[in-house]
């Protein structure tokens, strides 16, 4: 098999595992922000949620690019 295909599969699996393992923590942070919107710690938690969303979006875009590249090379 092609090395690019293996890199794509491993990248997608590791990213999926990382994002799903962090999901419950992000839900807890969101619940804290909703309950304590005036707390100073809410801003820090909100920033971490925003970066989690940005990283999930970047992971998705890179994954789609790698899949298209794999099929284009076949």
């Amino acid at each position: 098999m092609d090395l690019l295909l293996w890199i794509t599969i491993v990248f997608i699996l590791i990213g999926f595992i990382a994002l799903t393992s962090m999901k419950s923590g992000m839900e807890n942070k969101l619940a804290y922000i909703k309950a304590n919107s005036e707390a100073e710690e809410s801003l820090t938690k909100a920033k971490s949620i925003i970066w989690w969303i940005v990283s999930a979006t970047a992971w998705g875009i890179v994954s789609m690019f790698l899949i298209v590249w794999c099929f284009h090379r076949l």
Side-chain angles (χ1 to χ4, degrees), residues 1-72:
M1 274 189 132
D2 191 16
L3 180 64
L4 178 63
L5 180 62
W6 281 110
I7 291 171
T8 302
I9 291 170
V10 169
F11 179 78
I12 291 171
L13 286 176
I14 290 174
F16 184 75
I17 290 168
L19 289 174
T20 53
S21 68
M22 295 175 66
K23 181 181 175 281
S24 63
M26 294 299 137
E27 289 174 345
N28 292 337
K29 288 180 182 181
L30 183 61
Y32 177 84
I33 291 170
K34 286 182 179 180
N36 304 312
S37 61
E38 299 298 322
E40 196 165 315
E41 191 178 351
S42 294
L43 180 61
T44 306
K45 291 184 184 285
K47 285 182 182 179
S48 68
I49 291 173
I50 290 169
W51 278 112
W52 183 74
I53 293 169
V54 168
S55 64
T57 304
W59 169 75
I61 290 170
V62 171
S63 296
M64 288 186 284
F65 174 75
L66 286 171
I67 290 170
V68 169
W69 192 16
C70 281
F71 281 117
H72 181 66

